[in-house]
Amino acid sequence: MSDDEPSRAEQRLIDHARKQQAKQPQPSGKVTVKRTARFHGDEPRNAYWLSQAWSPDGTQLAYGGRTAKNGGVLDVWDGNSGHHEPFRMRHLTHDLAGMVISMAWSPDSKHLATVEEDHGSLAKAVHIRSQAQGPRAVQFPQKLPVTQVTWSPDGTTLALSGPGCPQTVLIDAATGAQKHLLDNLSGPVAWRPDGSTIAGIYETSVLLVDPATGGRVGRLADHEHRPTALSWARHGGRLAVADGEKIRIYDADTGDTVSRIPWTTSEGDRGPDHTISSLQWLDGGRYLLEFRPRGGAWHDEQGSACSTLILWDVVERWLFVELFSEVIFKHRLPAAGAALAPDGRRCALAFDDRLPVIWSIDGELPDLIP
């Protein structure tokens, strides 16, 4: 949400969401989503954010992307104070091979894995970065168009994949050795919190694979579209899948559909791209955040698309919708990405050429699964 009043297109979306809310069972208490903090430091110059990650211990927030000349940029803020200390973090953020298109923190919050792309050659590089040791290159089959990196819950394995990657490669994080090459498993991929299963995409299905053997252990089919985002609930009992404009929630053990969440935006106010880029659980399986970078209003008075971040109660299908944008020289910018804090109550968003801002979810969330 900008500091200005909503535009007419934004107000239509808000009004529509409130009408939908009125039809749904409402939780007790009042839930609000509001901006509560802006990170400190010099404004990044000509930075276009492409990736973000909040460390599991909540102490560090990293944003990566490209410069106006298509070089790489990687910045880290203190996740508690919001201070930016580029000199102290220089060993973590230096020696980029190109723009930073994906990143993930290790479970102990001491290492940051990044996927970097050279703008001219489109060559990919993967690094494991730490403040203590600097960047270490990770070798992988160069024929794979890797655009995503994720870390196993025990910190021993990296999964390298991406939506256009026909295989997923599992790499030993300590030695750099290849463990498995998982055929017909594209990104996005997501690790079950106990590490027993990795979920990925094959055509319009979600495959469940044992990372220890590389064998398939399950398949979730019948999606209308190729899924664009996956997320395991914090205890691993439920898996959320973005199926085109809708979301399905599965019981991970039985494969049964627990809930189907529709696209709440009315047809006349839908954005030019309905893609859900991230799903993030606040808890163990009740509350889910949906983020669409350009999936809100078709345009405002300046012709700008708007981002949406929607909070769902997946059981009652109660929702709270807000719009997130910044007005820069009368042009309304959608958010580049969203990163949920480990506490499940704060969400960091970044806008190009601007410092990250923090939005907090306040109020009672009934039957929260801790």
Side-chain angles (χ1 to χ4, degrees):
M1 180 75 72
S2 72
D3 293 326
D4 299 340
E5 292 298 317
S7 67
R8 288 194 296 272
E10 291 176 317
Q11 192 61 55
R12 287 199 303 272
L13 183 55
I14 294 172
D15 292 343
H16 175 75
R18 287 172 178 167
K19 289 178 182 178
Q20 292 294 106
Q21 266 185 260
K23 299 176 183 179
Q24 306 285 347
Q26 295 296 299
S28 59
K30 182 180 180 181
V31 178
T32 61
V33 180
K34 60 183 179 181
R35 179 192 289 168
T36 56
R38 183 183 293 275
F39 277 66
H40 308 294
D42 295 332
E43 292 281 353
R45 293 176 178 266
N46 299 318
Y48 300 87
W49 304 116
L50 302 171
S51 55
Q52 60 281 318
W54 210 315
S55 64
D57 64 4
T59 63
Q60 299 170 95
L61 178 64
Y63 272 91
R66 66 177 179 88
T67 65
K69 295 183 178 181
N70 294 310
V73 59
L74 176 60
D75 280 324
V76 179
W77 282 265
D78 185 297
N80 295 316
S81 69
H83 288 293
H84 184 217
E85 298 177 299
F87 182 78
R88 188 174 70 84
M89 291 292 179
R90 66 190 187 281
H91 297 302
L92 181 71
T93 60
H94 77 305
D95 288 347
L96 296 171
M99 49 190 178
V100 182
I101 59 177
S102 178
M103 62 173 67
W105 287 99
S106 61
D108 63 6
S109 300
K110 294 181 179 180
H111 299 84
L112 180 67
T114 57
V115 178
E116 300 147 38
E117 178 181 285
D118 180 88
H119 174 72
S121 67
L122 302 182
K124 307 295 193 300
V126 176
H127 287 98
I128 295 177
R129 300 173 170 277
S130 71
Q131 180 60 17
Q133 301 172 338
R136 170 168 57 90
V138 175
Q139 302 301 317
F140 63 95
Q142 284 297 306
K143 65 179 181 178
L144 291 180
V146 169
T147 56
Q148 180 200 20
V149 59
T150 57
W151 219 300
S152 66
D154 63 4
T156 64
T157 307
L158 291 178
L160 305 179
S161 191
C165 207
Q167 298 167 304
T168 295
V169 59
L170 303 184
I171 302 290
D172 188 298
T175 67
Q178 180 176 306
K179 289 185 173 182
H180 290 290
L181 190 62
L182 307 177
D183 289 326
N184 298 319
L185 192 73
S186 298
V189 299
W191 294 84
R192 190 166 180 165
D194 63 5
S196 65
T197 309
I198 187 169
I201 310 301
Y202 174 68
E203 296 180 343
T204 58
S205 297
V206 175
L207 301 184
L208 306 179
V209 175
D210 182 342
T213 64
R216 185 186 302 178
V217 296
R219 179 174 180 172
L220 307 175
D222 299 325
H223 298 100
E224 294 181 31
H225 308 279
R226 187 179 181 88
T228 58
L230 307 174
S231 182
W232 292 92
R234 296 193 175 197
H235 304 312
R238 290 181 173 178
L239 177 66
V241 180
D243 175 17
E245 59 188 47
K246 300 182 291 296
I247 301 170
R248 289 193 187 190
I249 312 298
Y250 291 94
D251 181 307
D253 295 316
T254 66
D256 295 334
T257 300
V258 175
S259 179
R260 289 182 174 89
I261 299 175
W263 190 5
T264 184
T265 311
S266 59
E267 185 173 354
D269 289 327
R270 293 176 179 176
D273 182 359
H274 62 243
T275 301
I276 297 174
S277 66
S278 70
L279 295 170
Q280 301 176 70
W281 289 93
L282 276 65
D283 64 347
R286 180 84 184 209
Y287 293 98
L288 182 72
L289 274 178
E290 162 203 327
F291 178 67
R292 301 177 195 252
R294 307 186 70 83
W298 170 255
H299 60 77
D300 63 10
E301 282 70 25
Q302 290 77 38
S304 307
C306 299
S307 307
T308 54
L309 190 69
I310 300 178
L311 170 62
W312 289 100
D313 177 334
V314 304
V315 176
E316 300 291 348
R317 297 210 307 184
W318 168 83
L319 64 93
F320 184 92
V321 63
E322 267 292 2
L323 301 165
F324 298 88
S325 59
E326 294 265 323
V327 176
I328 309 298
F329 301 120
K330 297 185 178 181
H331 182 67
R332 195 174 296 272
L333 297 176
L340 188 66
D343 61 17
R345 288 285 187 154
R346 293 173 297 151
C347 189
L349 297 104
F351 302 86
D352 292 337
D353 286 328
R354 292 295 180 269
L355 298 172
V357 295
I358 304 298
W359 290 69
S360 296
I361 302 167
D362 297 320
E364 181 184 356
L365 296 173
D367 301 315
L368 188 80
I369 302 174

